[in-house]
Amino acid sequence: MNAKPFLAHPHVGTTIVATALSALIAIGLLSAVAGLFLRDGTPLGQIVIAEHACADYAFASERETCMRLFLAASHIQRVASR
C-alpha cells in the first residue's frame, strides 16, 4: 500500500475557464455598482450639502424627506439657470 497522500491536479483548461469566469463575474459586479451610482445622477457634493442642511431633523424619515426636497429644489435651480 502506498501511504503517500495523492491530490488530484486540476487540468489547465479547467483553471483557465475558472479564471475567465471569475473575471467576468467581477467585471459584471463592478459595472453594476458603477451603473447604480451613475443612474442616480446626484453628485456626492450635493448629497453632502443636503445632509448638512437637514442635520437638525431627529428622525431618519424626516431627514430623508428634507434631503429629497432640498435636492429637488437645487435641481430645479440648476435647470432654470441653464
Side-chain angles (χ1 to χ4, degrees):
M1 298 212 68
N2 190 2
K4 191 175 179 182
F6 176 71
L7 297 175
H9 295 289
H11 295 291
V12 175
T14 306
T15 304
I16 292 172
V17 169
T19 303
L21 186 61
S22 65
L24 287 174
I25 291 171
I27 290 169
L29 288 173
L30 288 174
S31 63
V33 169
L36 288 173
F37 281 114
L38 293 176
R39 185 186 69 188
D40 186 25
T42 306
L44 184 62
Q46 292 291 330
I47 294 173
V48 170
I49 292 170
E51 284 179 353
H52 286 293
C54 300
D56 297 337
Y57 292 99
F59 296 107
S61 60
E62 292 176 342
R63 201 173 314 125
E64 289 174 3
T65 303
C66 174
M67 287 176 57
R68 280 193 207 106
L69 292 173
F70 186 88
L71 291 171
S74 67
H75 179 69
I76 291 170
Q77 288 176 352
R78 279 190 311 231
V79 171
S81 67
R82 291 182 187 172

